[in-house]
């Protein structure tokens, strides 16, 4: 790794790095200003594709799920490639006010960190390679993926990895607000849409009939009372509730959307069994349920001793940051589950992700880019970490 760290310090001097950080921030602002709810990422995809073309990537393509691909040619085509990836979608609807606020310390606005700065950081690595005429040994596939958030269920990364997996040696995934962390394991996720059905009726004339909403409220309370294990860490969350016809109607249909996560597939399966058993306890001839699986993210793991993880840790150490090893649910899950060495790292620090007051710190972007450049240089060099 020391060779790659020394190389990174020579390629990017202090003034170049400061200018690059400013450019990345401006790219992130431009990306954030384009609405990109999950499944509607095409406008952002076109912006990224234009940047890929400007920086002389080859094999540029936007696929049917709005992923964007571009390849930086390496000097040794016989080597398996590196994939550098960041997702373009956001949890916010198309109607969301995307106005940004900026002060000397931070940028504030929905989606600025998750994941506009992630995409900006990916473009920043590309820009540095282009400007400094760096020729990696491996091909590097830069990919902006769709459908990472929510019900997207990692559809973009599934498609991208399926397309490129036979050519890959490893993956570096970028999340805007993950600076200081190295995600080396993907947690398992299962998502259920639980729909309650009853005959319904008029609130006065048919009082006493079961209401789908009442039944679901009772079921939701039972689910909320489940205490999953803390080791392995396992969680559940009812994120959405919908249903009913009017205030004076007994609801004939209502539903909840349940997210379940665990570091262990067995613990996740047991949690799902508990939920399905609770559904059974409130099922009657007049009260029935439909349960649809609407999301399923696989678990995966890369040893902390793997050279790619060590390289990510050392890249942070190079900028004076002690790395925290993490598990999480990201695009990286797909490659990890397939046994492909993968780490997820960040561009800056921030907070309030998935909220309208999300923010990203500006000062850390410089070190975040140095870290990214160092890691990508290491991973794209033959015989170093992959």
């Amino acid at each position: 790794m020391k060779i790659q760290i020394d190389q990174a310090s020579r390629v990017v001097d202090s003034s170049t790095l400061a200018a690059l950080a400013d450019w990345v921030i401006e790219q992130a602002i431009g990306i954030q200003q384009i609405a990109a709810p999950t499944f509607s990422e095409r406008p952002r995809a076109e912006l990224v594709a234009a940047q890929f073309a400007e920086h002389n990537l080859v094999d540029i393509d936007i696929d049917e799920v709005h992923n964007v691909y571009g390849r930086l040619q390496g000097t040794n085509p016989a080597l398996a490639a590196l994939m550098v990836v960041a997702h373009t979608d956001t949890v916010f609807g198309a109607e969301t006010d995307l106005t940004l606020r900026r002060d000397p310390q931070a940028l504030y606005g929905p989606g600025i960190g998750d994941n506009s700065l992630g995409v900006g950081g990916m473009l920043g690595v590309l820009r540095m390679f282009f400007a400094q005429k760096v020729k990696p040994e491996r091909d590097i596939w830069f990919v902006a993926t769709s459908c990472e958030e929510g019900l997207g269920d990692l559809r973009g990364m599934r498609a991208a990895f399926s397309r490129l997996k036979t050519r890959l040696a490893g993956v570096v995934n970028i999340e805007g607000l993950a600076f200081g962390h190295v995600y080396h394991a993907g947690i398992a996720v299962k998502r259920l849409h639980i729909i309650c059905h009853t005959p319904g009726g008029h609130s006065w004339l048919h009082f006493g009939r079961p209401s789908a909403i009442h039944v679901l409220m009772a079921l939701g309370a039972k689910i909320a009372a489940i205490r999953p294990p803390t080791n392995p860490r396992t969680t559940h969350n009812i994120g959405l509730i919908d249903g009913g016809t009017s205030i004076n109607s007994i609801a004939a249909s209502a539903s909840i959307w349940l997210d379940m996560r665990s570091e262990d597939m067995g613990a996740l399966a047991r949690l799902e069994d508990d939920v399905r058993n609770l559904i059974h306890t409130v099922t009657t001839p007049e009260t029935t349920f439909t349960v649809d699986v609407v999301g399923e993210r696989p678990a995966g793991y890369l040893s902390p001793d793997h050279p790619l993880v060590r390289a990510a840790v050392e890249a942070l150490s190079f900028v004076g940051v002690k790395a925290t090893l993490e598990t999480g649910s990201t695009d990286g899950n797909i490659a990890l589950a397939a046994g492909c060495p993968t780490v997820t790292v960040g561009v800056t620090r921030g907070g309030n992700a998935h909220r309208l007051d999300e923010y990203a710190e500006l000062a850390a972007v410089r070190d975040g880019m140095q870290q990214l450049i160092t890691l990508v240089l290491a991973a794209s060099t033959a015989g170093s970490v992959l």
Side-chain angles (χ1 to χ4, degrees):
M1 255 302 287
K2 189 174 186 305
I3 294 173
Q4 283 74 46
I5 287 176
D6 291 344
Q7 182 183 4
S9 64
R10 291 196 303 271
V11 167
V12 190
D13 60 33
S14 179
S15 60
T16 300
L17 191 60
L20 179 66
D22 289 341
W23 186 86
V24 167
I25 290 166
E26 291 309 309
Q27 292 302 305
I29 290 171
I31 292 161
Q32 186 269 349
Q33 288 293 291
I34 301 171
T38 302
F39 308 119
S40 301
E41 303 92 344
R42 181 80 188 197
R44 284 192 183 181
E46 291 172 349
L47 181 151
V48 172
Q51 284 291 339
F52 283 2
E54 185 175 325
H55 291 88
N56 288 355
L57 294 189
V58 299
D59 300 330
I60 297 169
D61 182 43
I62 301 177
D63 69 15
E64 66 279 0
V65 297
H66 312 315
N67 289 330
V68 192
Y69 304 83
R71 181 169 62 91
L72 178 62
Q73 294 173 287
T75 59
N76 186 349
L79 291 174
L82 174 69
M83 180 181 185
V84 178
V85 60
H87 73 87
T88 57
D89 61 321
T90 175
V91 300
F92 301 99
E95 75 288 348
T96 302
D97 182 355
L98 298 177
T99 301
L100 280 172
R101 178 171 65 87
R102 182 171 184 165
D103 64 28
Q105 286 75 44
L107 276 170
Y108 303 81
I112 186 60
D114 187 11
N115 194 34
S116 298
L117 268 164
V119 179
M122 179 184 69
L123 294 175
V125 173
L126 170 59
R127 184 172 182 83
M128 186 283 299
F129 274 67
F130 175 77
Q132 302 297 320
K133 298 181 172 56
V134 175
K135 296 294 185 184
E137 292 184 67
R138 302 180 188 279
D139 283 357
I140 302 177
W141 281 95
F142 290 89
V143 184
T145 55
S146 64
C147 297
E148 193 273 347
E149 300 286 6
L151 295 177
D153 200 32
L154 309 185
R155 184 171 73 169
M157 185 60 173
R158 292 177 198 273
F161 188 72
S162 177
R163 177 170 174 165
L164 298 175
K165 63 183 179 182
T166 60
R167 311 182 218 181
L168 295 180
V171 176
V172 173
N173 180 46
I174 305 172
E175 287 282 348
L177 300 182
F179 180 60
H181 304 277
V182 177
Y183 288 80
H184 67 103
I187 60 174
V189 179
K190 192 78 170 281
R191 289 168 173 159
L192 303 180
H193 186 207
I194 303 169
I195 310 164
C196 180
H197 311 277
T198 68
H202 191 283
S203 63
W204 177 259
L205 296 176
H206 304 122
F207 180 73
R209 285 185 184 177
S211 162
I213 290 175
H214 293 185
V215 173
L216 271 180
M217 289 171 64
L219 175 63
K222 291 176 183 288
I223 292 172
I226 295 174
R227 292 294 175 259
T230 57
N231 186 22
R233 189 179 179 211
T234 305
T235 66
H236 55 71
N237 178 65
I238 298 172
L240 294 167
I241 302 175
D242 50 40
T245 303
S246 69
I247 193 172
N248 59 328
S249 298
I250 296 172
S253 178
S255 73
I256 57 175
W257 302 74
L258 177 67
D259 174 275
M260 301 175 291
R261 302 175 181 231
S262 182
E263 295 173 332
D264 178 76
M265 291 290 288
L268 182 65
R270 289 189 291 274
L271 175 59
E272 183 181 359
D273 286 343
D274 289 344
V275 169
R276 290 182 180 272
N277 288 335
L278 288 175
I279 293 170
H280 180 72
T281 67
V282 294
T283 299
T284 71
E286 286 190 308
T287 305
T288 60
F289 288 85
T290 303
V291 181
D292 296 323
V293 177
V294 293
E296 195 162 10
R297 300 184 177 201
Y301 178 80
L302 187 64
S303 169
D305 294 326
H306 190 280
L308 182 59
V309 179
R310 294 205 308 269
V313 170
E314 290 181 34
L316 282 167
S317 179
F318 182 49
V319 295
V321 175
K322 182 176 175 57
T324 301
L325 296 181
E326 300 277 6
T327 63
S329 177
T330 70
D331 268 343
N333 283 42
I334 299 301
L336 282 168
C340 180
T342 301
V343 291
T344 296
V345 295
V347 179
T348 188
R349 302 181 183 93
N352 298 344
H354 294 192
R355 287 175 27 172
L356 295 175
D357 60 348
E358 181 177 331
Y359 68 92
E361 297 177 9
L362 296 173
V365 174
R366 182 184 182 280
D367 285 345
M369 290 309 304
Q370 177 70 83
Q371 165 232 197
L372 277 175
I373 291 163
T374 302
L375 178 58
V376 172
L377 280 168
S380 60
T381 301
S384 55
V385 301
L386 294 174

